Amino acid sequence: MMTRTEIDRIKEDYPPGSHVKLIEMKGEPQMLYGLKGTVRAIDDIGQIHVNWENGSTLALTEEDRFEKMHMIRVIVCRPREKPTIEEIGDNLDSMQEIVGGLIEEYMPFTGDDPREDNIAIVCNEEGKMNRMPLNRAITDEDGQMLD
């Protein structure tokens, strides 16, 4: 049985909206390694109630193994669509998933403004080679396309 202090710590560490990744859920073979979910609530006995990407709503208990996913907010620019703001995991797998393959980072905006040093374009490394649809152009000050 968990103490009130332990339950309060769980509530602080996993507020609603937090993202988790499953390592192992005891006795639940349909809950596979790597499954991702969003925390709905923590109950009074310390169970973490999760909406899983497979549609399950099984709660995590102290017997289960999982990790909190750190998320980043990104602007996603798909060909011929308006850009959208999305949250993805701050990891290689999530970045590869969003671009549909290997990633390449491109940082064309470095300059005098230190805020621009945190801006990177992440794209599919093999996009041109695989003739993926063109997306957005990067231009210089004169409007000439750089990439």
Side-chain angles (χ1 to χ4, degrees), residues 106-119:
Y106 178 52
M107 296 185 74
F109 304 113
T110 57
D112 297 335
D113 189 341
R115 294 173 297 175
E116 293 178 347
D117 290 341
N118 293 324
I119 299 171

Side-chain angles (χ1 to χ4, degrees), residues 73-110:
R73 187 169 285 176
V74 298
I75 299 171
V76 178
C77 298
R78 292 180 177 89
R80 294 177 292 285
E81 293 182 19
K82 290 182 178 181
T84 58
I85 297 174
E86 299 180 24
E87 277 194 348
I88 65 169
D90 186 13
N91 56 56
L92 179 61
D93 289 342
S94 295
M95 290 182 201
Q96 288 179 330
E97 184 178 321
I98 201 85
V99 302
L102 302 175
I103 66 167
E104 177 178 356
E105 180 184 285
Y106 178 52
M107 296 185 74
F109 304 113
T110 57

Side-chain angles (χ1 to χ4, degrees), residues 12 49-51 59 65 77 85 88 108 116 130 139 142 144:
E12 185 178 314
H49 294 268
V50 178
N51 288 333
R65 296 186 319 138
C77 298
I85 297 174
I88 65 169
E116 293 178 347
N130 291 335
T139 59
D142 298 325
Q144 296 296 313

